[in-house]
């Protein structure tokens, strides 16, 4: 099969996203507003569950995304692995919007390029290196539709070959997506159990317990700071990281890996700057950067993790969204009796253990896919 070198501008157009007004951002709503933070480093859409950014304002019709739409990242995030130029595909209709740091791709000629093949092409290191090389900005790198369209890529002349390459890679992604959905269902089950027992107070035996001012008899309500200490993460810029086996956490979740951890797991991570109040659980040793707080292994458990996820933290800094530690420590939490606390942990721990296994399986699938990706996309492996 023959391949050809071509400028992307001959194959695609790119349209900037909309400059949505921050006053319409909400904690829930009909539309999820996508940003570069929703793109995995190796491609693919990444959602963050309860901490999504929603939009409640009027939406121009042509910025409402449809299933199958392909987006490209035009701005890196601070303290994250480079995702500039990466792409992801919208999974369903009438739910997602994109801001001006993302571009919507359209094909100029479907007889020359297949969208599924293009998606994988935009997540290859060779193309991404071209995008980064022409980008501007010292700390946060930016590109533009015109710069992306100047990138030169190699493409099979045959659409059938493009389709076969995309099918091999998508088989891995389908397995990853299936595992991701199973993880999502397990997360939802654990959250619902916490909510049933500790928010609605329909815990085992609740019929025989007196509840006064929202506090069941035998329970305690006390400030978070009397129980745990939110510790500061440590700065680790993206260009200072050495790829390794330890996840690096920012306020948007895992933002890369490093060769050594800063904290022994398991532990809880809480967003301090940026995605304020976001909460993550790490079952392994990890590296929290300076945009987050963390809770060490001695104080972390699944009850506290779910309790913090239901706590309504607010930003205390108008200019740069931030969570003041003294304020966070002052927030009250309910603490159940030890027997109920243990019963909850016994119920949700197997769910989290299964999530860990599925995440580990996905890591192996991604590694296998990423090993194949460059070889398929440069013609080294024929199909």
């Amino acid at each position: 099969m023959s391949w050809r070198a071509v400028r992307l501008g001959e194959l695609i157009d790119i349209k900037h996203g909309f400059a949505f007004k921050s006053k319409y951002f909400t904690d829930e709503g009909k539309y999820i507003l996508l940003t570069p933070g929703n793109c995995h480093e190796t491609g693919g859409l990444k959602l963050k569950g309860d901490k999504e950014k929603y939009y409640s304002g009027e939406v121009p019709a042509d910025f409402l995304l449809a299933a199958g739409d392909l987006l490209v990242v035009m701005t890196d995030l601070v303290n994250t692995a480079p995702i500039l130029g990466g792409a992801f595909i919208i999974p369903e209709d009438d739910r997602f919007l994109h801001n001006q740091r993302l571009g919507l791709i359209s094909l100029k000629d479907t007889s020359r390029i297949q969208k599924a093949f293009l998606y994988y092409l935009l997540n290859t290191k060779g193309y991404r290196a071209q995008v980064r090389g022409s980008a501007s900005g010292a700390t946060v790198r930016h590109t533009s539709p015109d710069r992306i369209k100047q990138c030169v890529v190699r493409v099979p002349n045959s659409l059938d070959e493009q389709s076969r390459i995309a099918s091999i890679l998508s088989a891995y992604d389908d397995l990853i997506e299936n595992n991701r959905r199973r993880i999502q269902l397990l997360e939802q089950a654990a959250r619902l159990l916490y909510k049933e027992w500790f928010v609605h107070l329909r815990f085992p035996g609740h019929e025989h317990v007196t509840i006064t001012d929202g506090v069941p008899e035998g329970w305690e309500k006390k400030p978070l700071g009397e129980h745990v200490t939110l510790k500061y993460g440590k700065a680790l810029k993206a260009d200072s990281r050495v790829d390794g086996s330890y996840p690096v956490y920012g306020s948007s979740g895992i933002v890369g890996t490093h060769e050594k951890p800063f904290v022994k797991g398991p532990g809880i991570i809480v967003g301090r700057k940026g995605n304020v109040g976001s909460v993550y659980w790490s079952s392994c040793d990890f590296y929290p950067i300076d945009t987050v707080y963390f809770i060490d292994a001695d104080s972390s458990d699944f009850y506290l993790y779910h309790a913090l996820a239901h706590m309504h933290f607010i930003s205390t800094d108008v200019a740069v969204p931030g969570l003041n530690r003294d304020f966070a420590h002052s927030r009250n939490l309910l603490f159940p009796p030890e027997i109920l606390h243990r019963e909850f942990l016994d119920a949700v721990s197997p769910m989290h253990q299964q999530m860990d296994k599925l995440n580990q399986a996905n890591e192996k699938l991604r590694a296998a896919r990423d090993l194949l990706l460059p070889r398929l996309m440069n013609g080294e492996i024929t199909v």
Side-chain angles (χ1 to χ4, degrees):
M1 294 292 182
S2 60
W3 292 58
R4 67 185 183 277
V6 60
R7 290 193 184 279
L8 276 174
E10 297 179 30
L11 304 175
I12 64 172
D13 278 320
I14 303 174
K15 177 184 176 182
H16 266 298
F18 189 68
F20 293 99
K21 297 180 180 179
S22 60
K23 66 179 180 180
Y24 295 116
F25 294 166
T26 59
D27 291 332
E28 58 182 20
K30 182 177 180 181
Y31 300 119
I32 294 177
L33 179 58
L34 300 177
T35 72
N38 294 107
C39 182
H40 282 291
E41 179 187 355
T42 53
L45 178 63
K46 174 176 66 176
L47 296 178
K48 299 184 283 293
D50 292 338
K51 294 300 180 181
E52 277 306 318
K53 182 178 289 185
Y54 291 89
Y55 193 74
S56 61
E58 292 295 323
V59 178
D62 53 349
F63 290 100
L64 181 57
L65 301 172
D69 280 347
L70 181 62
L71 297 184
V72 63
V73 177
M74 295 189 293
T75 301
D76 267 344
L77 298 176
V78 177
N79 286 320
T80 68
I83 56 177
L84 195 67
F88 56 91
I89 295 175
I90 302 304
E92 58 191 74
D93 287 337
D94 301 331
R95 188 182 179 201
F96 299 104
L97 316 172
H98 63 302
N99 75 357
Q100 70 271 28
R101 294 179 292 168
L102 298 170
L104 176 62
I105 292 176
S106 59
L107 305 185
K108 286 184 175 180
D109 187 351
T110 55
S111 69
R112 299 180 65 191
I113 188 76
Q114 189 214 39
K115 184 180 287 187
F117 177 86
L118 177 63
Y119 161 71
Y120 290 108
L121 178 64
L122 298 183
N123 286 301
T124 57
K125 291 183 178 179
Y127 149 77
R128 298 267 288 273
Q130 290 184 66
V131 175
R132 197 156 189 83
S134 65
S136 59
T139 304
V140 180
R141 305 290 283 173
H142 309 271
T143 190
S144 67
D146 286 340
R147 288 175 182 171
I148 291 175
K149 288 161 68 174
Q150 288 299 312
C151 292
V152 176
V153 295
R154 293 182 71 246
V155 179
N157 287 316
S158 167
L159 287 181
D160 286 341
E161 186 173 5
Q162 292 181 27
S163 180
R164 289 194 296 272
I165 291 172
S167 294
I168 291 171
L169 295 168
S170 66
Y172 287 90
D173 283 336
D174 288 345
L175 289 171
I176 292 169
E177 176 61 16
N178 183 56
N179 286 343
R180 188 197 65 80
R181 289 176 179 174
R182 292 172 64 190
I183 291 168
Q184 191 175 44
L185 289 173
L186 288 165
E187 287 177 336
Q188 183 180 30
R191 286 198 304 269
L192 289 175
L193 184 64
Y194 173 86
K195 193 172 183 179
E196 180 74 3
W197 286 18
F198 304 114
V199 177
H200 299 311
L201 299 180
R202 292 193 285 261
F203 49 89
H206 69 91
E207 305 93 338
H208 311 294
V209 176
T210 301
I211 299 176
T212 305
D213 295 330
V215 181
E217 185 179 3
W219 294 37
E220 287 186 286
K221 178 183 280 190
K222 57 185 179 181
L224 174 66
E226 291 185 12
H227 182 71
V228 298
T229 298
L230 295 176
K231 300 180 179 180
Y232 290 96
K234 184 178 180 181
L236 182 67
K237 294 181 178 179
D239 56 7
S240 298
R241 298 170 199 160
V242 178
D243 287 343
S245 56
Y246 301 102
V248 177
Y249 278 89
S251 64
S252 61
I254 296 176
V255 296
T257 62
H258 195 48
E259 63 179 349
K260 57 184 179 181
F262 179 57
V263 178
K264 184 175 178 58
I268 298 170
I269 300 95
V270 179
R272 184 175 73 89
K273 292 287 186 181
N275 193 12
V276 174
S278 55
V279 180
Y280 307 98
W281 175 269
S282 179
S283 58
C284 62
D285 298 353
F286 60 101
Y287 200 115
I289 61 174
D290 55 353
T291 60
V292 301
Y293 299 112
F294 70 90
I295 299 172
D296 60 28
D298 291 337
S299 301
S300 295
D301 67 23
F302 292 126
Y303 174 78
L304 182 60
Y305 165 68
H306 286 283
L308 291 175
H310 279 81
M311 184 175 285
H312 297 291
F313 292 115
I314 61 174
S315 173
T316 54
D317 189 327
V318 176
V320 179
L323 176 62
N324 179 276
R325 187 168 72 157
D326 289 339
F327 168 78
H329 282 166
S330 72
R331 301 303 307 277
N332 285 325
L333 276 182
L334 274 177
F335 291 91
E338 180 57 30
I339 189 169
L340 186 60
H341 177 248
R342 176 52 55 188
E343 191 173 346
F344 177 75
L345 296 184
D346 288 344
V348 301
S349 291
M351 301 179 194
H352 283 275
Q353 290 167 4
Q354 183 63 22
M355 284 185 252
D356 285 342
K357 291 179 181 178
L358 291 169
N359 276 317
Q360 290 166 11
N362 274 356
E363 287 177 8
K364 293 178 180 178
L365 287 167
R366 289 191 185 98
R369 178 203 60 194
D370 294 345
L371 187 64
L372 275 175
L373 179 62
R375 298 177 180 181
L376 286 168
M377 300 303 285
N378 64 17
E380 181 181 340
I381 298 177
T382 58
V383 295

